[in-house]
Amino acid sequence: MEVLGYILEQCINGLQLGAVYALIALGYTMVYGVLRLINFAHGDIFMLGAFTGYYLITKFTIPIYFVFIITMALTGCAGYIIEKVAYKPLRGAPKISLLITAVGVSLFLEYFLSLKMIFTPNYIGFPRPFEVVSYNFSILSVTNVQILIFTITGVSLGLLYVLVYRTKQGRAMRAVSYDQEAASLMGIDIDRTISMTFIVGAALAGLGGILYGIAYPQINVFMGVMPGIKSFVAAVLGGIGIIHGAVLGGLIIGMSEVFVSAFLSSTFRDGVIFIVLFLVLLLKPSGIFGKRTEKV
Amino acid sequence: MKFFIESRKVLFLGLAVYVVLKALFTLGAVSQYIEQITLFAFIMIVASLGLNVIYGYTGQFSLGHAAFYGMGAYLSAYLTKVFEIEGVLGFLPAMVLSGMMTGLAGYVIGIPILKLRDDFLAIATLGLGTMFKVVLDNSDRFAEILGGSRGFVGIPRITNLEVTISVTVFIILVTRNIIFSRYGLFWRCIKEDELASVSIGVDTTRMKLMAFSYGCFLAGIGGALYAHLYTFLHPSSFDILKSIDFLIIVIIGGMGSITGTICAGLIWVGVIEGLRILLPVEMLDLRWVFIPLMLILLMMWKPYGLITKRSRQLGS
């Protein structure tokens, strides 16, 4: 029974981490869908979300749900500004220049924010806005932090689903990701749709940032790099451009990371994730839910 | 002989560069530090040429170049340690051997992953780079000498001006000859249009593999030189940021341009290290704020790279 309890506990931990990855992966997958761009700066927006949450909680005494809303609004704005300032002037340039720009934006955010007068490069403890309570059910126990993370991820996933598949904006996004030129011929405002995608993706990443801060209470300016890459892997794993694929991918990555740390060694966890990625890419290059594209 | 006659321009230029640098170094006109980064710039050129063959000429997008660079570095350092090599004569075979082993590793890894295309290849090679770093971080578990996450220490310092310049010039000449040979033509053909290349009978799988393993070979050579220049290796020197360094050099120099890569390598190392000298100590943190900004502005101003012919007006 003890072993089973331990495994279940690790399962919950894996789901917790996976849910955060899923939130970041959604932004990756949406941006990749419309722009075909691996937005390296996305991981840094996640970091920005964590820091915004930190300052809102420590400096102002406002209810936690307002913290979530304000952070999402601010990171959404950050995503919008990044897209307008850095990516939009490069519309039509080779894809690789766009990628280098994304790397540039990512490095800029990291090192600019790590300056001593801004966030400093040190680790900062994230304040817990509420007491952690553990609920015990026979063999497994769940904390209220985990319940919060699952609920928020679930709700935002549902809302995103409605946005993408039930609204006119969402239809425009899907059209742009399918064929940008044809979509613009059909009267869709491409720039607006791309901005919208960035705003929504960045807001979700910011949300992920606060949740990460609450769950693993130590934040740092460079904390977004690895989660960013892993979330992109998650998006590829599930089939890039597909919303439920990103969520499944995130959960797989989170689970495998936690299980490798728990049963093997934490130094192997990054490696194992990429072994999973390799297997998926070799067996099904378009990802788990991806449709087969033409093969040459 | 024909090889040397046809390439006399490059040889003379190399000799001239050597004489000037040697004079500067022996007269003590520059500090030890500048001496070191000059050699480092040449090493970056060798390794970036490898990426240029893979990406610039053949169009295979690799984000894991630093892994092969690191592989060459660790292999060469390991070989010189095991065989207790101290001098240049012993180092050259070790360097070539580690380059070839890196090339072989590139070949073996290339067989599965070169089937992927574009961004999927990018993410797979990115994964490769991360995995390699994990292996290095745990390397002391299978060989104590490699040092794991503590780093590989006590590598003899062998790389000097003569070795670096002659290897760089030789590599440039060989690469140039390959590029202008039939193989180079096939590679460029694959880059332009893979489907069309298949239809005119190019064995694209083989050609892509060749380009990839040759590029990895160059990375390995560069890595070997690096290991014996800095005499200390650490897994974090071979992470994604390093791969991006190579990519930036290739992009700035213009894809598929050897001259461009050489200039861009010098510029890139010059800018990164130059800012370290120019900025006052208390503003040193600002270095990595300026560099990305310059990069972004450069990409906006010249999305096709600094030194490049605008040969293709249509498409991207």
Side-chain angles (χ1 to χ4, degrees):
Chain A
M1 276 315 263
E2 202 135 272
V3 178
L4 186 67
Y6 185 62
I7 292 176
L8 274 178
E9 191 188 317
Q10 296 304 333
C11 267
I12 301 276
N13 289 340
L15 284 176
Q16 175 189 350
L17 186 61
V20 176
Y21 284 160
L23 279 177
I24 316 171
L26 287 171
Y28 264 113
T29 213
M30 287 166 71
V31 168
Y32 189 88
V34 295
L35 269 190
R36 303 275 152 217
L37 161 73
I38 306 176
N39 181 14
F40 274 107
H42 199 65
D44 300 299
I45 294 193
F46 161 79
M47 173 269 289
L48 210 56
F51 271 89
T52 316
Y54 168 78
Y55 278 104
L56 287 177
I57 293 171
T58 50
K59 295 276 183 292
F60 309 97
T61 43
I62 47 173
I64 182 74
Y65 38 89
F66 276 130
V67 172
F68 282 114
I69 292 168
I70 296 172
T71 307
M72 282 175 78
L74 288 176
T75 51
C77 280
Y80 177 79
I81 293 168
I82 288 173
E83 196 270 328
K84 277 282 176 278
V85 173
Y87 302 149
K88 188 154 175 269
L90 282 160
R91 212 63 50 84
K95 219 163 76 178
I96 184 75
S97 318
L98 208 60
L99 190 81
I100 297 276
T101 310
V103 172
V105 172
S106 164
L107 288 177
F108 175 73
L109 283 178
E110 281 163 23
Y111 285 92
F112 180 68
L113 294 179
S114 76
L115 289 180
K116 283 199 186 63
M117 48 205 154
I118 307 178
F119 290 162
T120 74
N122 308 328
Y123 277 93
I124 298 171
F126 196 90
R128 278 265 160 79
F130 43 80
E131 283 299 306
V132 179
V133 189
S134 191
Y135 306 105
N136 285 309
F137 304 100
S138 63
I139 49 168
L140 93 160
S141 62
V142 185
T143 61
N144 55 352
V145 172
Q146 286 166 336
I147 292 174
L148 177 79
I149 290 179
F150 297 145
T151 324
I152 289 184
T153 309
V155 170
S156 43
L157 185 67
L159 288 178
L160 186 67
Y161 225 85
V162 171
L163 173 73
V164 174
Y165 290 98
R166 291 283 180 274
T167 64
K168 216 171 162 185
Q169 264 311 318
R171 188 178 294 170
M173 277 181 201
R174 282 181 290 144
V176 171
S177 73
Y178 196 76
D179 187 336
Q180 219 178 81
E181 269 169 46
S184 81
L185 290 176
M186 293 293 130
I188 291 171
D189 188 341
I190 302 284
D191 284 337
R192 221 186 90 127
T193 312
I194 291 174
S195 300
M196 178 81 183
T197 313
F198 267 88
I199 292 172
V200 174
L204 288 174
L207 186 61
I210 311 187
L211 292 181
Y212 191 89
I214 295 175
Y216 309 96
Q218 222 183 22
I219 57 174
N220 172 268
V221 181
F222 300 97
M223 69 188 250
V225 181
M226 258 348 248
I229 290 173
K230 283 174 191 165
S231 304
F232 184 70
V233 168
V236 173
L237 214 62
I240 197 134
I242 301 163
I243 288 179
H244 47 277
V247 175
L248 182 76
L251 293 181
I252 293 176
I253 295 283
M255 288 286 236
S256 37
E257 190 171 328
V258 167
F259 271 90
V260 170
S261 306
F263 293 101
L264 273 168
S265 159
S266 61
T267 45
F268 290 130
R269 59 167 194 233
D270 297 349
V272 170
I273 286 164
F274 285 101
I275 290 174
V276 175
L277 171 77
F278 270 131
L279 290 178
V280 172
L281 280 182
L282 294 179
L283 299 174
K284 202 164 184 310
S286 49
I288 295 171
F289 288 121
K291 292 171 206 72
R292 267 189 94 74
T293 45
E294 102 282 23
K295 188 176 182 292
V296 178
Chain B
M1 212 46 220
K2 193 161 157 260
F3 175 79
F4 289 105
I5 294 168
E6 280 182 353
S7 50
R8 56 187 185 279
K9 255 190 197 163
V10 181
L11 283 176
F12 280 132
L13 195 65
L15 197 66
V17 171
Y18 168 70
V19 169
V20 171
L21 287 180
K22 186 76 187 171
L24 281 177
F25 289 178
T26 40
L27 290 175
V30 291
S31 65
Q32 188 94 37
Y33 174 66
I34 293 188
E35 213 178 303
Q36 195 148 1
I37 61 169
T38 313
L39 299 187
F40 178 61
F42 284 106
I43 294 169
M44 287 300 275
I45 290 171
V46 172
S48 308
L49 266 184
L51 185 63
N52 206 350
V53 167
I54 298 172
Y55 181 56
Y57 284 100
T58 321
Q60 304 304 310
F61 191 23
S62 169
L63 272 177
H65 205 60
F68 296 102
Y69 180 66
M71 204 180 283
Y74 269 82
L75 275 172
S76 164
Y78 184 72
L79 285 175
T80 46
K81 266 276 196 214
V82 168
F83 295 107
E84 288 169 355
I85 295 167
E86 295 283 336
V88 175
L89 277 182
F91 168 59
L92 285 178
M95 180 186 77
V96 174
L97 188 65
S98 39
M100 281 165 84
M101 277 157 82
T102 312
L104 189 70
Y107 187 84
V108 173
I109 294 165
I111 293 172
I113 69 167
L114 284 175
K115 290 196 183 104
L116 303 168
R117 300 205 306 169
D118 295 344
D119 294 317
F120 291 105
L121 183 62
I123 199 74
T125 46
L126 184 82
L128 192 75
T130 315
M131 262 172 13
F132 180 70
K133 192 168 170 290
V134 172
V135 172
L136 285 188
D137 274 329
N138 292 295
S139 60
D140 50 347
R141 295 188 188 199
F142 51 83
E144 188 59 40
I145 191 170
L146 296 179
S149 52
R150 294 188 307 278
F152 194 151
V153 289
I155 305 161
R157 198 189 153 152
I158 304 174
T159 307
N160 54 18
L161 184 64
E162 285 81 11
V163 174
T164 318
I165 294 252
S166 48
V167 168
T168 312
V169 169
F170 183 70
I171 293 285
I172 290 170
L173 287 175
V174 171
T175 311
R176 182 180 152 278
N177 275 19
I178 296 180
I179 291 302
F180 288 120
S181 75
R182 248 155 41 95
Y183 294 115
L185 193 64
F186 289 155
W187 291 349
R188 275 173 286 165
C189 191
I190 290 170
K191 186 197 169 191
E192 292 300 320
D193 194 330
E194 200 173 327
L195 192 60
S197 331
V198 175
S199 67
I200 57 165
V202 177
D203 186 350
T204 52
T205 316
R206 199 172 138 243
M207 286 301 137
K208 281 199 281 187
L209 268 176
M210 265 188 67
F212 193 70
S213 46
Y214 180 67
C216 293
F217 166 74
L218 292 191
I221 296 278
L225 288 172
Y226 173 83
H228 294 88
L229 177 66
Y230 283 93
T231 69
F232 172 68
L233 297 177
H234 192 265
S236 66
S237 327
F238 305 107
D239 59 0
I240 304 152
L241 219 56
K242 191 78 198 173
S243 294
I244 287 171
D245 260 16
F246 294 123
L247 194 64
I248 288 170
I249 292 177
V250 171
I251 302 297
I252 292 179
M255 293 194 285
S257 156
I258 293 179
T259 335
T261 305
I262 296 168
C263 299
L266 294 174
I267 294 173
W268 182 246
V269 176
V271 167
I272 286 189
E273 301 299 331
L275 277 180
R276 204 200 287 266
I277 298 166
L278 281 179
L279 289 175
V281 182
E282 65 271 15
M283 294 192 29
L284 216 54
D285 294 341
L286 281 175
R287 200 162 64 108
W288 278 100
V289 177
F290 285 137
I291 290 169
L293 275 183
M294 284 194 293
L295 207 60
I296 295 169
L297 292 176
L298 179 73
M299 284 297 129
M300 282 178 190
W301 175 45
K302 285 219 159 172
Y304 290 86
L306 262 188
I307 312 147
T308 177
K309 305 183 283 281
R310 275 296 286 272
S311 54
R312 290 196 300 157
Q313 297 287 339
L314 290 170
S316 51

